[in-house]
Amino acid sequence: SAQNVARECVLVEAFTGINCPYCPAAAGGIAEMLNQGLSVAPLAFHSSNFTPDGYDYVTPDTDSRNAWYSIKSWPTVIIDGVYSPYAGGAASQYLRAYDSLKASYDKRINVTSPFKLDLTYEYDSWNKCRAKVVVNQVGECEGDNVRVFIALTESHIPQIWGGWSELNAVVRDVVTSTAGTKFTGETQEITALF
């Protein structure tokens, strides 16, 4: 019989920008989630609305993901594609943002998953990496439009902004496209070169 599995982490998608006056609290709140040892997978999608020209934090993928969710205000943080707690404010307000984010995290971390993912990667050449994810459906899934995403992030980027000195979890590439790869069976293998 099919049985869901415990999840390894909660997805935290932050829509942000270095010129966004309310985004530093969200970034600090997410950093505090990691500092507290919470199992999160943070992704920071920088928006062309709040990132000046000349910075490479905005990519077609990040703007496309902003559009996919129809983001209209920044910061917007989406927890597991379900909750969008308020997390805005100055850097000094990061603990308030953390409390708000953690409340949504707590609602999701114990929700079991009907999917098991195994991710591996290997270097293909001196500047290319091949990622492979094998998705196995192990339980009943209510959705019929399940998609798999592989995102490449960069952290510890030196950047003075809004009271912080670095950027973390900056999405550099969504190698499966921002629409994702449609899951089409009990088991599916997706390979991407980046």
Side-chain angles (χ1 to χ4, degrees), residues 2 114-116 134-140 183-188:
F115 298 98
K116 184 174 185 318
V134 178
V135 182
N136 290 296
Q137 185 171 352
V138 295
E140 294 299 319
F183 182 73
T184 58
E186 296 293 316
T187 299
Q188 186 169 345

Side-chain angles (χ1 to χ4, degrees), residues 11 65 68 115 117 133 135 141 143-150 174 176-185 188 190:
L11 178 63
R65 193 71 174 159
W68 190 81
F115 298 98
L117 285 78
V133 64
V135 182
C141 178
D144 61 356
N145 191 20
V146 175
R147 302 206 170 247
V148 180
F149 297 85
I150 301 173
V174 181
T176 52
S177 90
T178 54
T181 299
K182 186 168 177 60
F183 182 73
T184 58
Q188 186 169 345
I190 299 162

Side-chain angles (χ1 to χ4, degrees), residues 15-151:
F15 297 87
T16 187
I18 60 172
N19 278 358
C20 166
Y22 304 108
C23 292
I30 293 167
E32 187 63 18
M33 294 175 89
L34 292 166
N35 289 340
Q36 294 298 322
L38 301 182
S39 297
V40 294
L43 299 174
F45 292 94
H46 283 255
S47 165
S48 57
N49 292 337
F50 283 102
T51 302
D53 290 341
Y55 291 88
D56 65 351
Y57 311 134
V58 177
T59 70
D61 287 336
T62 60
D63 271 343
S64 179
R65 193 71 174 159
N66 273 276
W68 190 81
Y69 272 122
S70 300
I71 301 298
K72 302 277 190 257
S73 64
W74 291 265
T76 294
V77 179
I78 300 176
I79 307 289
D80 259 3
V82 177
Y83 296 107
S84 184
Y86 180 73
S92 61
Q93 297 170 309
Y94 78 96
L95 287 176
R96 187 192 70 209
Y98 166 77
D99 289 341
S100 179
L101 296 169
K102 184 167 184 312
S104 292
Y105 168 88
D106 289 343
K107 293 175 187 174
R108 296 299 299 169
I109 190 61
N110 292 317
V111 175
T112 59
S113 173
F115 298 98
K116 184 174 185 318
L117 285 78
D118 292 307
L119 175 67
T120 58
Y121 66 91
E122 62 185 27
Y123 292 101
D124 192 67
S125 65
W126 73 273
N127 66 346
K128 295 287 184 184
C129 188
R130 183 175 311 278
K132 178 175 81 171
V133 64
V134 178
V135 182
N136 290 296
Q137 185 171 352
V138 295
E140 294 299 319
C141 178
E142 295 176 16
D144 61 356
N145 191 20
V146 175
R147 302 206 170 247
V148 180
F149 297 85
I150 301 173

